Amino acid sequence: MALIILVVGLVFWVNNMEAQGNTGKVIQHCLDCKRLSLDTLLSHTPLAEDHDYQVVIYTRNLTWELATFNLNWELLVEKFPEINFIFYYGGQSEEKLINWMTENDFSFPVIFDPEDSFRKKNLEGDLTGIVLNVQEGKVVSLLNPSFGEEYNSFLEKWVD
């Protein structure tokens, strides 16, 4: 039993250290990556990487219930129009992404990055999903909607 507690504690500590290493970094967007959207007009809009406030959502996993894309983004996008929400998918299959977007009626454009260049340029460790809150190009926090009201409060204070 002690071994299990030790292993869980070690995993938590490593994930926490990897996440902390991302704070303060300057984000490098993947400008050559393909943008996909269920709305063909949105897939041709330019990436607003110079936006003052960005929430960058990255994942390589679409099926896990708590994967970053599966969090409730609709309410936040509506509530905070001054924030540019940018979704990156670092998986290999464009077909899998399109099928997932269709099945989940995912209305946001997604940057398809099969080379996983966004993660390699910007993230410490081998994270499969993370939310980066970026101000003027630099990561200021790693909170996400799974933190509930705490995240809402953070966004309100952040853009105020």
Side-chain angles (χ1 to χ4, degrees):
M1 183 63 139
L3 184 60
I4 292 173
I5 292 171
L6 178 65
V7 169
V8 169
L10 183 60
V11 168
F12 178 76
W13 180 78
V14 168
N15 284 337
N16 191 33
M17 294 306 291
E18 286 179 348
Q20 287 177 358
N22 293 306
T23 305
K25 285 194 167 189
V26 174
I27 291 297
Q28 298 176 45
H29 286 284
C30 181
L31 302 178
D32 297 332
C33 292
K34 187 175 186 178
R35 293 189 69 200
L36 300 173
S37 175
L38 297 179
D39 180 345
T40 55
L41 295 176
L42 289 177
S43 62
H44 298 294
T45 57
L47 173 66
E49 72 276 358
D50 58 347
H51 223 102
D52 285 344
Y53 299 99
Q54 301 171 17
V55 173
V56 181
I57 303 98
Y58 166 82
T59 194
R60 287 189 306 201
N61 185 337
L62 297 170
T63 57
W64 184 44
E65 184 177 319
L66 297 176
T68 54
F69 278 23
N70 291 321
L71 300 174
N72 189 353
W73 296 106
E74 291 81 11
L75 296 174
L76 293 173
V77 170
E78 286 178 23
K79 187 173 181 178
F80 299 100
E82 62 272 63
I83 298 175
N84 187 19
F85 291 81
I86 302 170
F87 296 85
Y88 276 94
Y89 176 61
Q92 298 289 311
S93 174
E94 182 176 341
E95 181 181 357
K96 180 178 179 179
L97 174 60
I98 292 170
N99 289 339
W100 180 88
M101 291 172 72
T102 303
E103 289 170 12
N104 291 280
D105 197 26
F106 195 76
S107 59
F108 307 108
V110 176
I111 300 169
F112 176 58
D113 183 9
E115 302 298 320
D116 210 15
S117 61
F118 178 81
R119 181 188 60 81
K120 292 173 185 173
K121 290 179 186 175
N122 295 291
L123 303 175
E124 296 288 327
D126 192 28
L127 299 172
T128 59
I130 193 166
V131 176
L132 305 169
N133 301 293
V134 177
Q135 184 172 357
E136 297 174 358
K138 290 186 181 176
V139 177
V140 295
S141 91
L142 305 170
L143 285 175
N144 68 56
S146 68
F147 287 92
E149 190 55 41
E150 182 181 352
Y151 189 61
N152 230 355
S153 296
F154 163 77
L155 292 179
E156 287 171 354
K157 290 176 188 171
W158 187 36
V159 297
D160 191 21

